[in-house]
Amino acid sequence: MTKDLITKSKVERPRRRSRIREAHEAKILSVSEDIFAQFGYNGTTLDSIAESAGMSKQNMLYYFPSKEVLYLRVLAKILDLWLEKLVLLDQEGEDPATMLENYIRGKIELSRLHSSGSKVFANEIINGAPYLKSHLQSKLTPILEADVGLVRSWIADSKMDSVDPYHLFFVIWSSTQTYADFSTQIQVCLKKDQLDNEDFQVASDFLAQMILKGIGLRGSL
Amino acid sequence: MTKDLITKSKVERPRRRSRIREAHEAKILSVSEDIFAQFGYNGTTLDSIAESAGMSKQNMLYYFPSKEVLYLRVLAKILDLWLEKLVLLDQEGEDPATMLENYIRGKIELSRLHSSGSKVFANEIINGAPYLKSHLQSKLTPILEADVGLVRSWIADSKMDSVDPYHLFFVIWSSTQTYADFSTQIQVCLKKDQLDNEDFQVASDFLAQMILKGIGLRGSL
DNA sequence: GTCTATAAGGGGATAGAC
DNA sequence: GTCTATCCCCTTATAGAC
């Protein structure tokens, strides 16, 4: 307590985190995401991250005390971004078809804009989610339960086919994330070096149409 | 040449690979698959594989000269199993709906029975397929092209909706493989310790129904 | 905050006896 | 084919000067 007061009176500024610290931490987090995505946790070396961030490894360890701490920060950042998009409920007054279509298109957009983050997340889950499992249980499950309840109410109101809501979400998650996680395979199949905006457009049009029609929310176009 | 003759005359048996070699190689390959699946290439130690296989690391290196060679053998084994199931064409005389349904159910079955293999494969692709890319280009693409051509012919004959065949296969692959690759996440969502046969049954029923209906191959049940 | 130096340990791979 | 012993590099992390 006394310590806080002293610190404050001594420096005269509201921020206790220096500008350079903010910038360096942000830079490190950003390049870490790309490198963890490409090489996985164990395949990533602190040296490679430091080099991409333009500083020495020792200097980087001044900002993040260990590789594990850095990885956890990267994971947390991604998870928050993800969970934000998973909430189906916060679209007041829309009909089921529109809400689900927005959900699907939003997830594809996440794959397009945050493909590295998606890959880090995917690596973590495939390997049994050693760092993430408890967070998934505490944060993902409640959101999913709410969304599942909403779908159940639509089914009860005969607005759509009677399908298993959980598996509906699983197919939406997997089919949208594949455009990030498995982009290498998709590029090989489409014989392209990179997926462009049009590829993502075609993917989201197709997925929205097929899924909505598949659960009785839409006829043929 | 001379050497071959000598060897043959000396040992009097048709196999040049001893029984014990066969058994040990098979054991090593089998446990490697599980361990690579859980820890990824870099996270896997030769010690852990050797221990699971019941031999010393040095002994294991007698059968597989390096970690990389072992990994490539594991990958090759999985890829062959995969490609076998990807052929849509070899079902003479079936209608499109039945063929696609068999394809979907076959892929789910692969996820159920070879979940470790699927995870190794997924890890490899997410990380940019450094070892697998050329094989994908040479072996996967031709099979996919044939399947795509078949779907196009169905569309031309107005047997199904006019959808992009590539993206149709992408959604089938991703939504079926997710039950292997992302099993941890699915277990968390379903609040189960393991996915059982019934979960896979529900999943394949749901996916077959939703996808077929979604592309105009089936009405509501 | 950044640098040089270095500790400490892990893990892939080889040599050679048996 | 299997074992003991060992090499050697890579990588994380710390110590301490500036």
Side-chain angles (χ1 to χ4, degrees), chain A residues 18 20 58-59 62-63:
Chain A
S18 75
I20 191 163
Q58 293 86 340
N59 196 190
Y62 172 74
Y63 295 104

Side-chain angles (χ1 to χ4, degrees), chain B residues 104-116:
Chain B
I104 292 167
R105 291 184 185 277
K107 286 282 292 164
I108 286 266
E109 202 60 3
L110 220 45
S111 287
R112 187 173 72 84
L113 295 174
H114 298 277
S115 120
S116 287

